[in-house]
Amino acid sequence: MAKKTVTMDKLVALCKNRGIIFPGSEIYGGMGNTWDYGPVGVEIKNNIKRAWWKRFVQESENSYGVDAAILMNSRVWEASGHTTSFSDPKMDCKECKSRHRADNLIEAHSKGKVNPDLMTNEEMEQYIQEHHVCCPVCGKFNWTGIRTFNLMFETSRGVTDESQNKIYLRPETAQGEFVNFLNVQRTTRAKIPFGIAQIGKAFRNEITPGNFIFRTIEFEQMEHQWFCKEGTDGEYYAEFKQRAWQFLLDLGFNPEHLRFKDHDKLAHYAKAACDIQYDFPMGWSELNGIHNRTDYDLSRHQEYSGKSLTYVDPVTGEKYIPYVIEYSIGADRLMLAVLSEAYDEETLEGGDVRTVLHFHPALAAYKAAVLPLQKNLAPKAKEIASMLKKHFPISYDEAGSIGKRYRRQDEIGTPYCITIDFDTMENDTVTVRDRDSMEQIRLNVSELVDFLREKCAF
Ligand code: GAP
């Protein structure tokens, strides 16, 4: 697949024009870094989540799903360390009042040669002074000092002022899995090692959100925690790196557009951590993370809740707090990677250029579009579309020339276009056009369901 005709501007425009993703609250002038998924986008994103869930829950041995509350007891965030240490180093430009992350300023200024993750706040301030790093917005050099800024969104619980209690919108879904560790283990009778997975919204008051849906303040995470015995954690860490990588290849990613990147600075709870980076339109950036979180989370929740989270091995009677290997990927970030990877502009014979999304058919919003060649064939086409809609999401389009209708479907990645023509009325056959090769075959209407089911399976 050709790379890289795609730019972020082209993707944003395509998404807006084809009902994939719209700017949030658009009629009110927008709300910075929020995005709304449209009729096509919601289907693609749901398919991404479905593919992930199928791979990591349904087809996984000993993995179970949960859907935990977004609002959790505030003690959860004290135990997890988020209230004290989930923060970024923030600097304000005194001239234009724009806000920046000190680590990002250093990374950009040094063109990635200096790693701010290894620096203290004082060292970052010193670097910015010594290298005269100017504000990327106004070009001036007049900074405040670095202040740490907690990324959690706060809200309050209660009906009267007196009863107000500060609570948080969860900044990661992981804690919902940890606090339910024993509930899941007890009700499924799962034995270690086993996994708990969740897909859900997370919220972060990011200092520098941006790059379309890459970094937003509200996003969805797909997280899987694998509970295992200390000593086996290294082996499972390696296994999850491999499984996360394979999932991306199976979705159709070119391995040349992916790479592993070990974390230089480990979080306080981690023994090992790495990202899979993708070559996004703005450059190589984190797509997902794999972390060896040790027994930190369960130990802390045991300490803060006062409830035992110790696992008792049913065979040996051994008691221990399990280690956790976490695999975490943003659904929106994966959506951006899927769209970037799929986007292509192809010059056709005759010089026309078609924009096409070549993603895996399982991710396509519509598995097929049903197109009557002429308006008088619409009743038959509608009958075939209704029959197919019982099995798959199907698009129906009778407006404009057949060529234009093919292009519209190419632009949203519909893998097959089914054309109803005069032969259909004679012998109940249709043409089926393949999005990628643009070749057409003729099939009997009765073969369509099995054909699409086979081609669109993940
Ligand atoms: N529980 C671990 C955790 O949350 P993280 O590296 O902070 O780790 C995991 O986030 C994944 O969530 C990232 O790799 C990315 O795919 C996604 N993600 C994180 N922050 C995001 C944001 N502001 N907008 C969109 N996706 C985000």
Side-chain angles (χ1 to χ4, degrees):
M1 195 181 300
K3 195 90 192 314
K4 284 274 202 176
T5 40
V6 64
T7 63
M8 202 63 99
D9 287 347
K10 285 182 187 177
L11 264 191
V12 173
L14 177 78
C15 285
K16 188 171 173 183
N17 294 333
R18 288 284 169 249
I20 302 174
I21 301 168
F22 308 121
S25 317
E26 196 180 6
I27 60 168
Y28 286 95
M31 152 94 185
N33 299 292
T34 63
W35 299 93
D36 295 342
Y37 286 76
V40 174
V42 67
E43 299 285 349
I44 300 174
K45 189 174 171 192
N46 281 341
N47 290 336
I48 287 175
K49 291 190 280 183
R50 233 173 256 137
W52 187 88
W53 193 263
K54 180 163 184 277
R55 176 64 56 91
F56 290 96
V57 180
Q58 184 182 325
E59 293 174 358
S60 254
E61 215 175 299
N62 227 13
S63 279
Y64 307 91
V66 294
D67 182 11
I70 287 173
L71 302 173
M72 303 179 80
N73 188 308
S74 298
R75 295 276 288 162
V76 168
W77 307 112
E78 287 169 33
S80 67
H82 281 82
T83 38
T84 48
S85 54
F86 191 57
S87 51
D88 279 338
K90 162 181 86 103
M91 285 181 101
D92 291 334
C93 170
K94 290 191 202 159
E95 302 290 333
C96 70
K97 313 287 178 228
S98 61
R99 182 158 284 180
H100 303 268
R101 271 173 59 172
D103 51 342
N104 289 352
L105 290 172
I106 294 171
E107 224 171 314
H109 180 268
S110 69
K111 300 202 167 50
K113 291 202 184 82
V114 175
N115 185 353
D117 284 354
L118 303 174
M119 294 171 146
T120 62
N121 283 358
E122 291 70 37
E123 286 166 340
M124 283 195 274
E125 260 180 22
Q126 201 178 338
Y127 180 99
I128 286 167
Q129 288 296 332
E130 279 172 10
H131 293 81
H132 203 77
V133 180
C134 294
C135 170
V137 176
C138 69
K140 304 259 172 56
F141 181 77
N142 190 6
W143 295 110
T144 62
I146 292 179
R147 268 167 292 179
T148 46
F149 175 75
N150 196 295
L151 302 183
M152 283 200 293
F153 276 106
E154 291 174 9
T155 185
S156 47
R157 158 101 181 83
V159 286
T160 62
D161 280 350
E162 299 84 69
S163 64
Q164 274 191 352
N165 262 325
K166 198 197 293 180
I167 53 171
Y168 302 95
L169 302 187
R170 67 181 175 196
E172 62 171 10
T173 60
Q175 301 305 323
E177 287 121 90
F178 298 136
V179 298
N180 282 297
F181 164 68
L182 275 190
N183 281 337
V184 173
Q185 194 270 324
R186 181 174 50 81
T187 51
T188 60
R189 287 169 289 115
K191 294 191 187 68
I192 296 277
F194 73 92
I196 304 183
Q198 175 169 211
I199 298 179
K201 289 265 185 180
F203 305 82
R204 294 183 190 178
N205 203 355
E206 298 278 6
I207 298 170
T208 49
N211 283 319
F212 193 25
I213 52 170
F214 178 81
R215 181 171 285 112
T216 48
I217 53 178
E218 172 184 343
F219 54 99
E220 261 181 296
Q221 285 188 315
M222 308 190 285
E223 297 202 294
H224 185 277
Q225 316 295 334
W226 185 249
F227 299 90
C228 60
K229 191 174 174 189
E230 181 181 0
T232 62
D233 49 312
E235 166 200 333
Y236 288 121
Y237 177 68
E239 183 183 314
F240 271 93
K241 279 174 72 171
Q242 183 49 37
R243 286 180 68 185
W245 182 267
Q246 190 59 46
F247 175 62
L248 296 171
L249 297 193
D250 293 346
L251 285 182
F253 281 87
N254 180 338
E256 286 171 20
H257 305 155
L258 299 168
R259 68 182 186 197
F260 281 108
K261 173 86 172 61
D262 284 329
H263 287 197
D264 294 313
K265 188 165 128 189
L266 293 177
H268 53 286
Y269 54 77
K271 182 170 155 189
C274 71
D275 297 333
I276 294 178
Q277 295 187 332
Y278 173 67
D279 190 8
F280 284 97
M282 71 285 186
W284 287 97
S285 306
E286 173 185 346
L287 172 56
N288 69 233
I290 300 113
H291 316 122
N292 181 341
R293 298 183 71 123
T294 67
D295 58 357
Y296 175 83
D297 301 278
L298 291 185
S299 302
R300 293 275 290 192
H301 285 306
Q302 174 165 286
E303 182 190 336
Y304 277 69
S305 68
K307 299 278 181 326
S308 170
L309 296 179
T310 303
Y311 173 76
V312 185
D313 188 301
V315 178
T316 63
E318 201 182 345
K319 292 182 182 164
Y320 59 91
I321 302 234
Y323 266 43
V324 172
I325 305 301
E326 173 182 70
Y327 158 47
S328 173
I329 182 162
D332 312 86
R333 200 169 285 186
L334 180 54
M335 172 104 176
L336 179 62
V338 161
L339 292 172
S340 310
E341 186 73 359
Y343 185 98
D344 208 359
E345 287 169 9
E346 293 174 359
T347 308
L348 305 172
E349 279 173 34
D352 273 4
V353 174
R354 75 161 181 154
T355 300
V356 53
L357 295 180
H358 286 290
F359 43 52
H360 192 299
L363 302 185
Y366 305 110
K367 303 307 167 204
V370 174
L371 315 171
L373 194 58
Q374 290 189 1
K375 283 250 164 78
N376 58 354
L377 297 165
K380 180 68 178 169
K382 282 184 178 159
E383 183 191 312
I384 293 172
S386 318
M387 181 275 289
L388 291 175
K389 279 181 181 181
K390 294 201 187 331
H391 304 271
F392 319 97
I394 297 289
S395 170
Y396 175 83
D397 189 0
E398 57 180 44
S401 73
I402 194 77
K404 283 211 176 98
R405 284 183 273 164
Y406 284 156
R407 293 288 166 275
R408 282 202 286 267
Q409 297 301 329
D410 289 343
E411 288 186 7
I412 59 170
T414 307
Y416 298 100
C417 283
I418 297 170
T419 307
I420 303 342
D421 56 21
F422 296 104
D423 286 347
T424 314
M425 307 309 286
E426 300 283 313
N427 58 16
D428 227 25
T429 62
V430 290
T431 63
V432 179
R433 170 189 178 270
D434 182 285
R435 172 196 69 196
D436 299 335
S437 67
M438 293 184 282
E439 275 165 17
Q440 305 204 8
I441 55 171
R442 229 177 153 89
L443 287 183
N444 203 290
V445 171
S446 63
E447 296 171 298
L448 287 175
V449 171
D450 285 346
F451 174 85
L452 292 176
R453 183 162 292 134
E454 191 203 321
K455 296 286 186 188
C456 300
F458 177 71

